[in-house]
Amino acid sequence: MLIREVRVTPVAFRDPPLLNAMGVHQPWALRTIVEVVTDEGLTGLGETYGDLDHLEKVRDAAASITGLDVYHHNAVYAAVAAAVGADVVTDLHGLTGAASRVKTVDRVFSPFEVACLDIKGKAADRPVVDLLGGRVRDAVPYSAYLFYKWAGHPGAPEDAFGPALDPAGLVEQARVFVGRYGFQSIKLKGGVLPPRQEAEAILALREAFPEHPLRLDPNAVWSVDTSIEVGRRLAGVLEYLEDPTDGIDGMARVAGEVPMPLATNMCVVTPEHLPEAIERRAIGVLLIDHHYWGGLVRSAHIATLCATFGIELSMHSNSHLGISLAAMTHLAAATPSITHACDTHTPWQDGQDVIAPGALRFADGAVPVPDGPGLGVELDRDALAVMNEQYEKCGIRARDDVTYMRAVDPSFSTRRPRW
Ligand code: GKR
Ligand code: MG
């Protein structure tokens, strides 16, 4: 079955002012929607980042895979690698570790791989989870992903979520998310306030939610000493501590001194990082993310390798739409070693999506694997057109939390370590 055409559509959707170590989310989040169409008339969907440098590579790659067989993932990968070329795309937002050529190729390949799997599933009348080995769970648990946030974007009225700038605000945010979606695990995006205040917020969450596993993720802005101090303070409270400090060396030094496992989506972001991280025992949990680990099949391979070395699996998330959520759900449903609730930004979308409603839902904090063939989701063409128009008009062409934050606080620093 040959690829006849590939459509690439950038989209933008409204995003609240979520705070993190690199600043604050801009009013619009960007994504790229990929549609691969075969000579037999089947269409497969993929979703990836929307930053312009990445979008351009995705467009180049799209042109280079026309005529290839959707079953020939290795040939598609080789064509994508050639189209990407030797230069490196930088991940400007600084929250998913360093950029490299391998990571760039894997990031560009991923939406095409997902779309090809969607097509193969449709052709076989099977869900993607069956192409990945079959389900080990019928529904995939996700975590309530809490953020410190302003009441609204500067100059705009308060948004639907309201402010969360202290422990009470975060507990209230958690109550809303747990109440609305039934989440059974809670993650706090840290790296925003001094570490002791973030530890206080975790303790307040523990009091309010005694049974929910909790995680804290300051995106590597703490020193080794601070990480050890906070890790010890939160002994018995955290399920895992995510990227407290920068680099495999720093993580290894912290890992040996704190009682809970360390997790990462920053110091291990390509296969090249695994040997040293394993040897140094730097991490106990890897947050896999098919968007930059080269798609679903490669992510499943990494999961197997991690299991061999006793590394547990969770899943990383960035602002995303429903095609990504469907792909994440199929992967996690087929991967036995993903034993921690996966991260998702879905609640922050506030209902905006490019897919037709109904295929994805949360029940008790988990997303049941969609029933239909392939990914089990369909594009809503009207919504796609609206979101594409939003992209054309919004003026944002890359995620840049730092510059947006500096418009409000010119002294904002991205120094690491900050505390
Ligand atoms: O959405 O601000 C955010 C997050 O900080 C995201 O960009 C990170 O990549 O969720 C991510 C993480 O776990 O580090
Ligand atoms: Mg993280």
Side-chain angles (χ1 to χ4, degrees):
M1 206 180 337
L2 303 183
I3 297 171
R4 193 188 67 209
E5 185 192 347
V6 184
R7 290 192 284 268
V8 175
T9 311
V11 296
F13 59 98
R14 281 176 302 282
D15 203 18
L18 306 179
L19 297 161
N20 61 44
M22 294 301 284
V24 57
H25 285 210
Q26 297 149 286
W28 298 94
L30 310 181
R31 296 296 272 178
T32 298
I33 306 303
V34 167
E35 296 169 76
V36 173
V37 186
T38 71
D39 55 353
E40 295 179 15
L42 288 174
T43 301
L45 301 175
E47 177 185 333
T48 181
Y49 310 94
D51 307 77
L52 188 58
D53 52 5
H54 179 68
L55 172 64
E56 281 166 355
K57 296 290 181 194
V58 169
R59 285 190 165 129
D60 292 347
S64 78
I65 65 168
T66 308
L68 297 180
D69 191 323
V70 295
Y71 287 87
H72 292 173
H73 286 217
N74 291 329
V76 173
Y77 189 89
V80 169
V84 165
D87 54 335
V88 168
V89 176
T90 307
D91 304 334
L92 282 177
H93 63 68
L95 292 159
T96 49
S100 68
R101 182 166 186 278
V102 172
K103 190 177 171 199
T104 302
V105 174
D106 285 355
R107 278 161 53 103
V108 177
F109 172 67
S110 175
F112 301 111
E113 188 254 16
V114 172
C116 287
L117 286 166
D118 191 20
I119 290 167
K120 288 195 281 182
K122 286 173 178 163
D125 197 21
R126 291 282 190 165
V128 164
V129 66
D130 282 0
L131 308 182
L132 299 173
R135 66 184 68 195
V136 294
R137 45 185 76 89
D138 291 327
V140 171
Y142 286 88
S143 61
Y145 197 159
L146 310 185
F147 280 82
Y148 288 101
K149 73 176 285 293
W150 296 330
H153 282 283
E158 183 166 321
D159 61 34
F161 300 99
L165 293 163
D166 56 19
L170 290 168
V171 168
E172 177 53 24
Q173 192 183 91
R175 284 197 204 289
V176 171
F177 279 17
V178 169
R180 200 173 288 167
Y181 301 93
F183 292 121
Q184 322 258 329
S185 297
I186 298 175
K187 165 170 173 169
L188 173 59
K189 172 59 54 179
V192 174
L193 298 179
R196 284 185 191 172
Q197 291 182 40
E198 296 189 350
E200 289 305 322
I202 289 291
L203 294 172
L205 288 164
R206 168 50 69 239
E207 206 180 316
F209 298 91
E211 306 298 334
H212 283 61
L214 302 174
R215 317 127 183 215
L216 173 59
D217 174 16
N219 280 115
V221 292
W222 298 347
S223 67
V224 166
D225 287 348
T226 300
S227 303
I228 294 170
E229 184 191 321
V230 178
R232 288 181 177 165
R233 173 127 192 258
L234 295 176
V237 180
L238 288 184
E239 167 191 24
Y240 55 71
L241 178 57
E242 186 175 324
D243 287 310
T245 200
D246 211 14
I248 292 173
D249 178 59
M251 289 282 278
R253 285 156 61 205
V254 175
E257 302 292 334
V258 297
M260 70 283 290
L262 299 189
T264 192
N265 63 273
M266 295 186 72
C267 72
V268 179
V269 292
T270 70
E272 308 162 305
H273 299 139
L274 275 165
E276 187 190 351
I278 291 168
E279 193 184 331
R280 303 281 316 273
R281 297 182 189 279
I283 60 165
V285 182
L286 178 71
L287 276 73
I288 196 78
D289 182 336
H290 75 271
H291 299 92
Y292 59 81
W293 280 93
L296 301 178
V297 172
R298 280 166 186 258
S299 295
H301 291 169
I302 294 294
T304 307
L305 190 145
C306 285
T308 305
F309 290 97
I311 295 174
E312 298 172 4
L313 266 287
S314 184
M315 192 179 280
H316 171 257
S317 158
N318 270 314
S319 305
H320 65 86
L321 295 166
I323 299 169
S324 284
L325 183 63
M328 291 154 73
T329 300
H330 284 281
L331 174 61
T335 309
S337 58
I338 299 185
T339 51
H340 298 276
C342 301
D343 288 346
T344 178
H345 285 57
T346 296
W348 299 108
Q349 275 165 244
D350 206 16
Q352 305 167 92
D353 217 328
V354 287
I355 61 165
L360 297 170
R361 65 191 168 85
F362 285 87
D364 298 328
V367 175
V369 182
D371 292 327
L375 290 174
V377 296
E378 294 297 333
L379 261 189
D380 175 339
R381 295 222 159 263
D382 293 339
L384 182 72
V386 168
M387 285 189 167
N388 176 244
E389 200 179 327
Q390 290 173 174
Y391 173 85
E392 295 300 340
K393 288 188 178 152
C394 76
I396 294 172
R397 288 295 173 264
R399 177 175 176 180
D400 185 357
D401 296 17
V402 179
T403 305
Y404 189 48
M405 176 58 107
R406 283 194 182 141
V408 176
D409 173 8
S411 68
F412 179 74
S413 161
T414 57
R415 199 180 62 246
R416 276 195 187 135
R418 211 163 304 158
W419 286 287

